[in-house]
Amino acid sequence: SGWNEQPLQVVYRHKAAGFRFEDVRSLEQGELGAYIAGFAKRDKAEGFDFSSGELMRVSVLRTGEESYRFVWSFHHILMDGWCLFLIVGEAFNTYFAILEDRKPELVPVTPYS
């Protein structure tokens, strides 16, 4: 549906992504793999609701003293294969810059409008 029988596109100025954190260090090694697989399956089954929910979720599972599992879920309408490559590259470059205690080098963005 749309406005006055015409398609309508809504672009949010600010739309927060969902964020979840779980500390699963107490799980035994044998349980951990099954838990992570189940978590990913539940996250995928949750899907996304255009009208009320976020269209992207980031989940961090702490699996050890210095190890984490990062689950990044998004609706395919947000990113295609071409831009996913760019965004994942930017995310990892930012992460490694922070680890090296330096400022991330980000390219200027073009407003959607």
Side-chain angles (χ1 to χ4, degrees):
S1 75
W3 180 79
N4 206 12
E5 300 303 318
Q6 297 296 315
L8 176 67
Q9 180 181 28
V10 175
V11 179
Y12 291 97
R13 188 173 307 273
H14 302 285
K15 185 74 171 166
F19 179 78
R20 298 173 181 160
F21 177 83
E22 286 189 41
D23 188 338
V24 294
R25 289 177 290 174
S26 62
L27 295 177
E28 298 294 328
Q29 195 62 35
E31 299 173 308
L32 190 57
Y35 182 83
I36 291 171
F39 180 93
K41 187 176 181 179
R42 289 187 305 275
D43 184 73
K44 184 176 182 178
E46 186 176 335
F48 295 95
D49 181 357
F50 285 121
S51 62
S52 61
E54 71 268 345
L55 298 180
M56 182 181 299
R57 282 187 301 275
V58 172
S59 302
V60 176
L61 306 177
R62 186 169 187 185
T63 57
E65 291 307 311
E66 294 187 18
S67 62
Y68 299 82
R69 180 62 63 105
F70 182 80
V71 180
W72 185 2
S73 305
F74 55 88
H75 193 283
H76 67 89
I77 201 167
L78 292 182
M79 292 187 265
D80 59 12
W82 177 78
C83 78
L84 180 60
F85 172 78
L86 298 174
I87 291 171
V88 169
E90 187 173 281
F92 276 103
N93 287 338
T94 300
Y95 174 73
F96 290 124
I98 291 169
L99 283 180
E100 296 168 4
D101 200 27
R102 60 182 173 83
K103 186 174 180 179
E105 296 176 22
L106 303 173
V107 297
V109 296
T110 303
Y112 181 78
S113 59

